[in-house]
Amino acid sequence: MLAYIIRRVLLIIPTLFGIMLINFIIIQAAPGGPVEQMLAKLQGMDTGISSRMGGGSEISSSSQSSDGGYRGAQGLDPQLVEDIKKLYGFDKPAHERFFQMLKSYLRFDFGDSFYRDQSVTGLIVEKLPVSISLGLWTTLLVYLISIPLGIKKAIKHGSPFDVASSTLIIIGYAIPGFLFAILLIVYFAGGSYLDWFPLRGLTSPDFEQMSYAGKALDYLWHMILPVTAMVIGGFATLTMLTKNSFLDEIHKQYVLTARAKGLSEKNVLYGHVFRNAMLLIIAGIPSALIGIFFTSSLLIEVIFSLDGLGLLGFESALNRDYPVVFGTLFIFTLIGLLLKLIGDVTYMLVDPRIDFDSREG
């Protein structure tokens, strides 16, 4: 297994390089970079997010022309244009900028944001508590609900309980998380009916003056609605996956043999079926964590005014804040690859029969 882990760790390096290179090439081809935005501002054009989302052409009109210059620079001092390019690091060729970026990333130096007076690392650390709060609570609740429910549905397959729970699961899966979040706000956050829960932020304004118990309750009070909205959309798939995995194992020959030997249904289920059925569930943990932590929470963060990593990445992409875009991409990709490796190693903990040494990295 050690040899397999070493191969996988070494494979992370070219994988990271390939992902960063592909995204770097795509970003270079996209119009409306920081130099174009600054030139547009100097000429009095609107460079805000709303103008780009509304189909405005200001940024596109200041993109690079066929001779390599900036059309938006017409009428400006050439030295000023060169100073702006140097400010954002665009005075160097693309390949030189790419390898300089990788060299800095190897030291975990992600530079500073173009538009925020902070380092990329500082921004990530600042936004991380929101995403961790949403991700951890959502993941915990999804697995605590889905696995027992999926097992019970498999045991009672075809029963009224199975049919009724499947109906509720389908309804929950059909409603998008952000739409469910809006419904929760309307009914429970002072929208039109009850005013039980806060609408904005992770904590109350007077959070620092509260006792430890008060802080914990205030934090949970703010988390209930956004986490509920994320759990509703997340537990349906895992529940059905758990059910189908257990159903597939329950009908195998070794289960029939175990029952014929006189083992109780509980011993058969948790002593034999559980270990094999859970392999498929464990395989999905890394991707589920990445999805819940860094992508699924974007609209929830916007709706509940939670300033987390999802919102940071979205705004950075729209603003062409390249240091933040590439810094977060590097970190999230690295975390995803490591979680995938951890998931594979966990296979062995659940079922020692898996032979990693015979697998190719």
Side-chain angles (χ1 to χ4, degrees):
M1 185 179 71
L2 181 60
Y4 172 76
I5 293 175
I6 293 174
R7 290 198 302 269
R8 286 291 300 274
V9 171
L10 292 176
L11 187 61
I12 288 176
I13 298 174
T15 304
L16 265 176
F17 178 85
I19 292 174
M20 298 299 293
L21 178 61
I22 292 172
N23 282 273
F24 186 85
I25 293 173
I26 293 173
I27 288 291
Q28 297 307 303
V35 175
E36 291 92 335
Q37 291 193 47
M38 180 59 72
L39 294 175
K41 286 181 180 179
L42 292 175
Q43 295 203 358
M45 299 178 181
D46 182 11
T47 61
I49 294 175
S50 59
S51 67
R52 288 197 293 278
M53 294 182 70
S57 60
E58 292 87 348
I59 298 303
S60 297
S61 68
S62 59
S63 59
Q64 285 187 307
S65 61
S66 58
D67 62 358
Y70 292 91
R71 289 197 294 268
Q74 295 176 0
L76 296 177
D77 184 355
Q79 183 58 47
L80 175 60
V81 177
E82 290 301 319
D83 290 341
I84 293 174
K85 291 169 65 177
K86 186 175 182 180
L87 174 66
Y88 293 112
F90 282 78
D91 57 328
K92 301 175 182 178
H95 69 277
E96 188 175 335
R97 285 186 279 117
F98 176 72
F99 284 106
Q100 181 63 41
M101 179 183 71
L102 290 184
K103 184 179 178 181
S104 299
Y105 283 9
L106 290 176
R107 306 191 303 267
F108 288 91
D109 177 12
F110 304 108
D112 298 324
S113 168
F114 283 160
Y115 307 110
R116 303 169 187 249
D117 190 21
Q118 278 184 274
S119 67
V120 174
T121 303
L123 278 171
I124 293 175
V125 171
E126 179 184 319
K127 312 299 182 184
L128 201 55
V130 172
S131 295
I132 288 179
S133 294
L134 290 174
L136 284 180
W137 284 113
T138 301
T139 304
L140 178 64
L141 290 175
V142 164
Y143 276 83
L144 285 178
I145 294 172
S146 298
I147 292 177
L149 180 59
I151 294 174
K152 188 169 184 179
K153 285 175 63 62
I155 296 173
K156 297 182 177 295
H157 178 62
S159 68
F161 170 82
D162 182 39
V163 174
S165 59
S166 294
T167 303
L168 294 177
I169 288 172
I170 292 172
I171 294 174
Y173 184 74
I175 301 176
F178 72 89
L179 181 57
F180 195 78
I182 295 173
L183 292 176
L184 290 176
I185 290 173
V186 170
Y187 283 96
F188 300 107
S192 298
Y193 298 92
L194 304 173
D195 190 9
W196 288 354
F197 299 99
L199 181 59
R200 301 173 60 87
L202 194 63
T203 56
S204 299
D206 59 341
F207 182 77
E208 295 300 328
Q209 284 72 47
M210 296 180 182
S211 63
Y212 288 113
K215 289 180 178 179
L217 290 174
D218 182 73
Y219 166 76
L220 292 175
W221 185 43
H222 282 77
M223 280 287 97
I224 288 177
L225 292 189
V227 169
T228 300
M230 293 181 66
V231 168
I232 291 297
F235 86 98
T237 302
L238 184 60
T239 299
M240 298 309 296
L241 179 62
T242 303
K243 175 190 174 182
N244 293 333
S245 296
F246 272 79
L247 277 178
D248 185 55
E249 293 295 325
I250 285 173
H251 293 96
K252 289 186 177 179
Q253 184 62 44
Y254 75 90
V255 176
L256 299 177
T257 302
R259 286 172 174 163
K261 290 181 178 180
L263 293 178
S264 67
E265 194 65 25
K266 184 177 180 180
N267 286 335
V268 171
L269 184 63
Y270 293 102
H272 295 77
V273 176
F274 184 83
R275 183 179 63 184
N276 295 323
M278 286 301 295
L279 287 176
L280 188 59
I281 310 302
I282 291 171
I285 291 179
S287 59
L289 283 172
I290 292 295
I292 292 174
F293 269 69
F294 304 123
T295 57
S296 300
S297 62
L298 170 58
L299 291 175
I300 301 299
E301 290 178 13
V302 173
I303 293 171
F304 289 98
S305 299
L306 298 171
D307 194 7
L309 290 175
L311 187 58
L312 173 66
F314 176 70
E315 292 179 345
S316 299
L318 288 179
N319 285 322
R320 305 296 195 270
D321 196 347
Y322 295 158
V324 177
V325 171
F326 285 111
T328 52
L329 174 66
F330 181 87
I331 293 174
F332 296 165
T333 304
L334 180 60
I335 292 175
L337 293 172
L338 291 174
L339 284 176
K340 180 63 177 175
L341 175 59
I342 292 173
D344 285 348
V345 174
T346 308
Y347 276 171
M348 191 203 67
L349 300 178
V350 176
D351 190 348
R353 295 172 299 174
I354 294 178
D355 182 13
F356 280 98
D357 292 330
S358 64
R359 297 180 61 179
E360 292 295 329

